[in-house]
Amino acid sequence: MTSEHENPSKSRDLFDSAREIMPGGISRNTIYREPHPDYLAAGKGCHVTDIDGITRVDFANNMGSLIHGHATPQIISAVTEQLGRGSAVTMATQSEFELARLLCLRVSGFEKIRFMNSGTEAVMAALKAARAITGRSGIAKAEGTYHGTYDFAEISQNAAPHNWGDLEKPNSVPVARGTPAHVLNDVVIFPFNDTQRTLKLLDQSATELACVLIDLVPQRAGLIPAHAEYIKAIREWTTRHNVLLIFDEVISFRMGFAGAAEWYDVQPDLTTLGKIIGGGFPVGALAGLDRFMSVLDPAQKEIPFPWSGTFSANPVTMTAGHVAMAMYDQVSIDRINQIGQTAREMINDLIAETGVKASVTGAGSMFRIHPKAVAPTDYRSTWQTMEERHKTKLLVEHLYRHGFMMFRTCTAALSTPISQTELDQFSDVLKVGLEKFW
Ligand SMILES: Cc1ncc(COP(=O)(O)O)c(C=O)c1O
């Protein structure tokens, strides 16, 4: 048997050198993989090729941000033209107006919008805006949900049985060592999709809360869509208590023309965006009702919430985002969501056929495969034991070795160039993986 180290690998050599000057050899833990990450040579459509010449189908799409896959000709051409005119400038640009207009026309609740550079920043801006508007500091969020790395937004993202506490009052669990105690005190954790417990917990902190932050299809908490009555109940509660309702649509905006929000008969006060709206470039945005967004307006004597950012709304991102979102029309959305549905049905069939303990969740163009016989319904039932985690790792590695790149949680976020051909190939590889490792 040959070990990894006996095979020549340009990626491994590069990683060995990178490790000497970068912690862990990388800039984001997302791409860490053992024994080393592979380095990109080129991506095209739904495929990526590494510098050792191996091509894979990309089901990760830079964590769900490349809605049209790699090297989209229309984006390359628009961005190249923009680069010739400048990449960043201490001026306003028409490109930011164009993307702002496109998004505001798309979603009725986006009366105003402001751009930033990442989803993390968008969530941070949303929470700070909510505090500036209400004069309160409390944030309520669902257990296990990922909203980026702002202190308040990341609490309980990785809560585990030994520290998550009673479901009636889940603990605020820090992610980074050294998180200030006041941050933990300012964050109320509620169980996702559990209306009764959520409302009870909100009631207990009603006078301290600035906002309720919710992802409608939280990937880390199981990739399970929020129930309509749950979101409705939270909306009614937040309205009654003058607490802002913030939808985090950084990843779920791909679900529909107006994001996942269009499934619900509910109007949030603010929405955070990121990923696909940047057309493959770093982006974030905060959008919402004028009466709340005005907290950012600098044309006031005292600005309640000042916000800048050196690269915010840079014309390269704005141009790419405009092209990508214009191309992501209803026809394109229906098609990719249908492929997502076909993939989930195909995976369910494979699970039944192989008889392994597995399940699949998801919506639209996303799916997640769980090493659990019964599909999880919330974060606690999604949480994986050491053994389940090991199974997930083995399956994700198997898929990778045989040509499919997934999120580490065995999640896929498809891109529009995907076709039935890739799904059929995936089905063959997945079947072997399920039989062998699960
Ligand atoms: C729901 C949600 N919010 C916020 C973020 C953070 O976005 P970014 O990685 O661009 O900072 C993510 C990233 O995956 C996300 O999925």
Side-chain angles (χ1 to χ4, degrees), residues 343-361 367-376 395 410 426-427 430-435 438:
R344 287 186 293 277
E345 285 166 8
M346 179 201 85
I347 295 163
N348 267 325
D349 290 347
L350 280 181
I351 292 169
E353 196 185 319
T354 54
V356 295
K357 277 191 192 163
S359 49
V360 62
T361 56
F367 62 81
R368 178 171 172 180
I369 307 172
H370 306 261
K372 306 205 178 248
V374 179
L395 185 64
C410 209
F426 181 69
S427 171
L430 178 62
K431 182 164 184 264
V432 175
L434 288 175
E435 279 169 342
W438 287 18

Side-chain angles (χ1 to χ4, degrees), residues 193-206:
N193 259 347
D194 182 334
T195 308
Q196 213 189 346
R197 288 194 177 92
T198 299
L199 294 189
K200 203 167 148 202
L201 284 157
L202 294 179
D203 272 340
Q204 287 164 14
S205 302

Side-chain angles (χ1 to χ4, degrees), residues 162 202 398:
H162 71 277
L202 294 179
H398 164 83

Side-chain angles (χ1 to χ4, degrees), residues 42 83 117 365:
L83 280 173
N117 302 294
S365 50

